[in-house]
Amino acid sequence: MSKDLSDVIGRVLPAPENFLSPEKLEAARKARRRFMGNALAMGAGVAASTAAATRAMAAEGEEAILKLPEHSTGLGQSVVTDGYGKPSKWEANLQRRQSPGLTRVNQASVSFTPLQGLFGIITPSGLHFERHHQGWWDIDPSKHRLMVNGLVKRQRVFTMDDLMRLPSVSRIHFIECGANTATEWGNVAVPSVQYTHGMTSCSEFTGVLLSTLLEMCGVDKKNGKFVLAEGADGSSMTRTIDMDRAMDDCIVAWAMNGEMLRPENGYPLRLVVPGVQGVSWVKYLRRIEVGDQKYATKDEAVHYIDHMPDGTHRQYTGIQECKSVITTPSGSQTLLDKGYYNVTGLAWSGRGAIKRVDVSVDGGRNWRTARLEGPVLPKAFTRFNIDWVWDGKPAILQSRAIDSTGYVQPKINQLRAVRGTRSVYHQNAIQSWLVSENGEVSNVQVF
Amino acid sequence: MGRDATPAEVKAWDIDVRPDFKGLPAGAGSVSLGETVWEGKCASCHGTFGESNEVFTPIIGGTTKDDIKTGRVKGLEEGKSIVPQKTTFMKVATLSTVWDYINRAMPWNAPKTLKTDEVYGVTAYLLNLAEIVPGDFTLSDKNIAEVQKRMPNRNGMAFYEPMWKVNGKGDVKNVACMKNCAIDPVVHSSLPAFARDAHGNIAEQNRVVGPVRGADTTKPEPKGPVGSGPAPKAVVVAAAPSGDAAVKALLASNACTACHGVKNKIVGPGFNEIAAKHKGRADQEAYLTGKIKAGGTGVWGSVPMPPQAQLSDADAKAIAQWIAAGAP
């Protein structure tokens, strides 16, 4: 920890509730005293000691301490007031949100996770980003079926009862939409990390390994080069998965963060394809087909393809490469004061675990290595943080992640040099946040 | 665990069509059959000629006769596009994809309801709009492979294995320089001032305690240095009321929201616009109930609203009451 820390920790802002300037505070006190005085003059029955007591408190210390709040002097609520607990009412600002103007149809749209206000590596299920292609459903699990067909010895049908009896794994993985951060390919377009990076979340998923199911059905290992995953919703999303992936760490999952999947995230069954873009994590999974060729489905032949400078499109680019972003302080947040900050953010890689994260406060000229908060898991969010003492001058914050393959997160100009500016997907460039002298943080591109 | 799938079950679900046309059911559909289906079930979102950018991105446009010869769409090269945005037929290399997707997911609010021949017809109609087949053409399982050879962007896809394989190397390199690294110390791009509040008031999208607050984006940026003005006021904004949940469920289950937004026009007017138009009308509820049940055209433009005969009178009335109350 930096030695400057001792100078700044515990620095109290001159206001009991942290939002009034000293002048305003004094004005408020005066007004209250005037009111009290008037009330007395009008014989409103206020004890004469009150105004004096208020004055005394201001001199002696903070009201928040000296005047016991009702929760210290009253009876609170009973158990099971709410059979499924909810966040505090004070946390209501943190919501999944849409990005205005991004899509025109709400059933084929996306909502963004408020990364700017989250901690650690697990995304609360209710704040998990959503991406629907033809609206979401809440499906009766007793009627849901999973079929395995194609190049297998035994074409089989499984109920949820069957699947949930099988040997399960529980693993923490990130899911990131292939189009996450797409708004920033050409220039800065959105204000905050919720909208630049919010199409990603990280959860613990529980289910049966896809390889277990494929082995049970007698998969043809010689000819079966690919599997097709298909959903049961209107879009019946279909995605080609490489057999190596399918037999490695893909999970046919029914649970997320200790409870069944949320309907918006595929209840009662979804595919988990660690490290691969979210669209392959087929929701409402109804079918797995084993085949010997790729399928060129709509979302791998028209969308989720990368427009290259020579006019070709890259097809079947599924891996979400190493990426990181600072979440606090981040775009459209405002620092309250100069002094010490614990700069923190998230790093992840679809190719393995995070090895190191470096942070710059001068736009990428000099870097320091950040602390990794545990746990550090493959194909999962890793939380990093680092000390920074802000002197009040303009600063440009960046984070740069390195994964277990040695790959270093690129700068936006390096990405553009290879892929041009007309691409949409797989934008994993270093993100810059400009801290201005007024304390506000804004989204900028510096490289 | 599990049981064997019956042949009928596999047939019911195994609907995918591969680029080599494996999985394509036998059948045929003419351009004119396709046109009929299109006018009734597709044009309201995609436009009469598949050109509409109103609801979804355009399907047709931006391809040329020369592209059909070369199999590469010239308009995909830098600065060469002849249309404002990329269309489906500029991009798609495989005709199987078009057939499969229409069969699987269209129409938008009633997927998987087209008959096999209608899917052939609609595909033929699109091929004709894209000038790939003539107006008297009938597309079938017998000739679809021939038509594939005329797809404008059939040679436009590249496979780059490192972005497909998890152990690939990636294509963009950076090095982990630590000191005095070469940078161009200018801000190349930032958010323009007019867009400051385009995503709402960010003060209402951040926590009320902690090291930072959300900036009040309803006001210009503060002028003085940090701490010189009043610190941002911490506000908690309750989530928007969800309105009448039962009505919302009706709207979703009857696909009303495919065409009407609560606060925005999609294909038809937003529910709030309908509420505003008929506000103060004495028979508003009865009028709206009738409109919902019988459908109509001309009040809001030329796109017809189909009759919603499947709704019970009680449900139609509940929706009408909700609209009359301002579509909260």
Side-chain angles (χ1 to χ4, degrees):
Chain A
M1 201 176 266
S2 118
K3 73 170 179 56
D4 307 297
L5 218 50
S6 51
D7 303 334
V8 289
I9 289 271
R11 179 173 186 157
V12 177
L13 287 175
E17 293 88 14
N18 284 3
F19 65 79
L20 289 177
S21 64
E23 298 76 2
K24 277 206 166 153
L25 194 63
E26 191 46 41
R29 286 205 190 96
K30 278 197 180 112
R32 189 164 51 201
R33 286 199 290 268
R34 256 203 317 279
F35 169 79
M36 289 297 186
N38 293 347
L40 281 172
M42 291 190 298
V46 178
S49 59
T50 313
T54 309
R55 262 197 306 277
M57 270 188 203
E60 286 166 33
E62 257 190 291
E63 199 166 285
I65 294 170
L66 299 175
K67 184 170 183 278
L68 289 181
E70 62 178 348
H71 56 255
S72 300
T73 58
L75 178 62
Q77 299 180 77
S78 64
V79 294
V80 206
T81 299
D82 192 346
Y84 193 121
K86 292 178 187 64
S88 159
K89 66 180 180 190
W90 303 103
E91 294 296 311
N93 287 356
L94 296 162
Q95 302 271 331
R96 293 191 282 223
R97 295 176 193 275
Q98 275 184 286
S99 187
L102 191 68
T103 56
R104 285 164 290 188
V105 185
N106 290 343
Q107 289 97 337
S109 188
V110 62
S111 70
F112 294 77
T113 293
L115 297 174
Q116 70 275 16
L118 302 184
F119 308 99
I121 62 171
I122 299 292
T123 308
S125 297
L127 295 175
H128 194 294
F129 83 98
E130 304 163 275
R131 172 67 170 106
H132 309 307
H133 292 267
Q134 216 148 327
W136 64 273
W137 296 89
D138 196 350
I139 294 169
D140 177 349
S142 69
K143 296 194 173 71
H144 189 74
R145 300 290 179 270
L146 176 68
M147 183 185 290
V148 180
N149 73 310
L151 299 176
V152 291
K153 284 199 189 71
R154 298 171 289 279
Q155 304 200 113
R156 302 284 281 171
V157 171
F158 299 90
T159 61
M160 291 303 296
D161 296 350
D162 296 330
L163 294 168
M164 291 166 81
R165 284 173 65 184
L166 293 170
S168 58
V169 296
S170 293
R171 292 178 186 167
I172 294 172
H173 288 298
F174 79 86
I175 171 172
E176 183 183 20
C177 175
N180 198 27
T181 324
T183 53
E184 312 298 298
W185 258 112
N187 51 272
V188 164
V190 295
S192 70
V193 73
Q194 176 156 15
Y195 305 108
T196 56
H197 288 72
M199 282 197 270
T200 180
S201 293
C202 182
S203 303
E204 183 196 61
F205 293 96
T206 301
V208 58
L209 284 172
L210 178 56
S211 60
T212 305
L213 282 175
L214 290 170
E215 297 280 8
M216 282 171 68
C217 298
V219 60
D220 177 348
K221 288 189 175 149
K222 188 165 159 290
N223 301 305
K225 299 273 184 277
F226 304 97
V227 305
L228 179 78
E230 181 180 75
D233 60 322
S235 71
S236 286
M237 173 58 65
T238 35
R239 294 287 301 176
T240 305
I241 317 279
D242 192 79
M243 187 55 84
D244 291 349
R245 300 276 77 251
M247 295 306 282
D248 181 14
D249 54 2
C250 290
I251 306 168
V252 174
W254 51 81
M256 183 166 106
N257 298 330
E259 61 184 359
M260 289 294 279
L261 292 160
R262 298 287 176 95
E264 301 97 309
N265 305 116
Y267 182 94
L269 199 66
R270 92 172 301 169
L271 191 62
V272 169
V273 192
V276 173
Q277 61 188 1
V279 65
S280 291
W281 297 41
V282 172
K283 296 189 294 189
Y284 321 109
L285 184 71
R286 80 170 190 178
R287 195 167 66 96
I288 296 285
E289 178 181 303
V290 178
D292 56 359
Q293 286 180 24
K294 299 195 190 85
Y295 290 85
T297 67
K298 188 268 277 181
D299 284 281
E300 49 199 21
V302 179
H303 305 304
Y304 301 89
I305 53 177
D306 304 307
H307 194 171
M308 303 298 284
D310 68 355
T312 59
H313 281 89
R314 276 188 190 163
Q315 201 176 10
Y316 304 112
T317 50
I319 303 294
Q320 293 300 109
E321 293 187 288
C322 184
K323 186 168 175 179
S324 70
V325 66
I326 292 168
T327 54
T328 303
S330 62
S332 287
Q333 290 182 333
T334 182
L335 278 53
L336 298 173
D337 192 7
K338 296 175 206 175
Y340 175 83
Y341 283 88
N342 182 43
V343 173
T344 177
L346 294 164
W348 61 95
S349 169
R351 298 200 193 272
I354 291 298
K355 192 172 68 181
R356 195 175 102 201
V357 180
D358 300 323
V359 170
S360 172
V361 296
D362 58 8
R365 194 173 292 287
N366 297 289
W367 298 82
R368 290 180 298 142
T369 297
R371 295 178 287 258
L372 301 186
E373 292 182 21
V376 178
L377 300 166
K379 303 174 191 173
F381 280 1
T382 298
R383 174 66 65 172
F384 63 87
N385 67 52
I386 191 167
D387 303 322
W388 176 50
V389 178
W390 182 44
D391 58 7
K393 294 193 176 69
I396 295 168
L397 308 185
Q398 295 179 343
S399 66
R400 177 184 69 197
I402 304 170
D403 71 13
S404 48
T405 71
Y407 173 96
V408 180
Q409 185 184 3
K411 302 198 273 188
I412 184 72
N413 55 318
Q414 295 171 324
L415 266 181
R416 286 180 189 145
V418 177
R419 299 192 201 150
T421 54
R422 297 179 304 163
S423 212
V424 172
Y425 304 97
H426 312 297
Q427 208 280 51
N428 65 320
I430 290 169
Q431 170 69 47
S432 304
W433 304 121
L434 169 67
V435 183
S436 300
E437 287 178 312
N438 61 15
E440 273 201 22
V441 187
S442 58
N443 181 6
V444 295
Q445 291 187 341
V446 175
F447 39 83
Chain B
M1 215 68 76
R3 60 166 177 82
D4 285 341
T6 69
E9 287 173 333
V10 174
K11 187 169 182 286
W13 274 13
D14 186 1
I15 58 171
D16 62 272
V17 182
R18 247 175 23 181
D20 61 352
F21 300 110
K22 182 177 180 292
L24 184 72
S30 64
V31 171
S32 71
L33 166 67
E35 186 172 22
T36 308
V37 176
W38 186 266
E39 288 299 332
K41 296 182 173 174
C42 317
S44 60
C45 282
H46 293 293
T48 303
F49 305 106
E51 82 301 342
S52 174
N53 190 25
E54 188 92 6
V55 188
F56 299 103
T57 47
I59 299 173
I60 301 297
T63 61
T64 66
K65 289 214 167 15
D66 201 42
D67 298 340
I68 293 173
K69 276 197 208 96
T70 60
R72 284 285 301 274
V73 170
K74 192 80 186 156
L76 292 172
E77 292 171 19
E78 294 273 10
K80 295 279 196 307
S81 187
I82 51 176
V83 286
Q85 70 184 112
K86 285 187 282 185
T87 68
T88 302
F89 269 80
M90 284 172 74
K91 290 186 285 184
V92 67
T94 38
L95 185 51
S96 59
T97 307
V98 180
W99 200 101
D100 173 272
Y101 183 66
I102 295 168
N103 184 52
R104 165 183 306 279
M106 289 294 117
W108 174 245
N109 57 348
K112 304 179 193 66
T113 58
L114 294 178
K115 297 181 185 76
T116 297
D117 289 351
E118 291 177 324
V119 178
Y120 276 105
V122 170
T123 309
Y125 180 66
L126 289 174
L127 288 163
N128 175 247
L129 290 175
E131 297 173 336
I132 297 165
V133 301
D136 60 357
F137 192 77
T138 296
L139 182 71
S140 73
D141 55 299
K142 307 284 187 294
N143 62 16
I144 198 167
E146 284 306 306
V147 181
Q148 168 62 40
K149 294 174 187 163
R150 293 174 52 75
M151 290 293 280
N153 202 38
R154 64 187 174 278
N155 301 322
M157 291 291 160
F159 177 55
Y160 183 73
E161 197 177 49
M163 291 297 285
W164 168 252
K165 290 283 187 190
V166 74
N167 54 1
K169 271 266 180 284
D171 58 351
V172 178
K173 301 273 182 295
N174 191 11
V175 289
C177 163
M178 295 301 281
K179 283 227 176 314
N180 292 318
C181 312
I183 59 161
D184 182 12
V186 293
V187 170
H188 288 270
S189 175
S190 59
L191 202 66
F194 68 78
R196 184 167 163 82
D197 64 347
H199 284 66
N201 184 0
I202 306 290
E204 298 171 358
Q205 300 177 20
N206 276 271
R207 186 168 282 110
V208 297
V209 291
V212 295
R213 299 287 182 274
D216 183 347
T217 50
T218 63
K219 300 191 178 79
E221 270 202 59
K223 294 250 184 307
V226 68
S228 60
K233 197 169 169 159
V235 242
V236 180
V237 178
S242 60
D244 186 334
V247 169
K248 292 271 168 80
L250 277 176
L251 296 174
S253 61
N254 288 281
C256 312
T257 45
C259 296
H260 303 277
V262 173
K263 292 191 169 29
N264 60 303
K265 171 181 186 283
I266 298 177
V267 176
F271 291 117
N272 65 327
E273 295 175 299
I274 301 169
K277 192 180 189 94
H278 301 298
K279 204 177 158 94
R281 193 182 167 131
D283 64 342
Q284 189 184 4
E285 215 173 280
Y287 168 81
L288 290 173
T289 307
K291 275 285 181 196
I292 292 166
K293 292 282 284 188
T297 180
V299 182
W300 296 91
S302 59
V303 178
M305 168 161 145
Q308 304 295 323
Q310 80 288 359
L311 277 174
S312 69
D313 289 347
D315 284 350
K317 194 172 166 193
I319 295 171
Q321 283 172 333
W322 174 81
I323 297 172

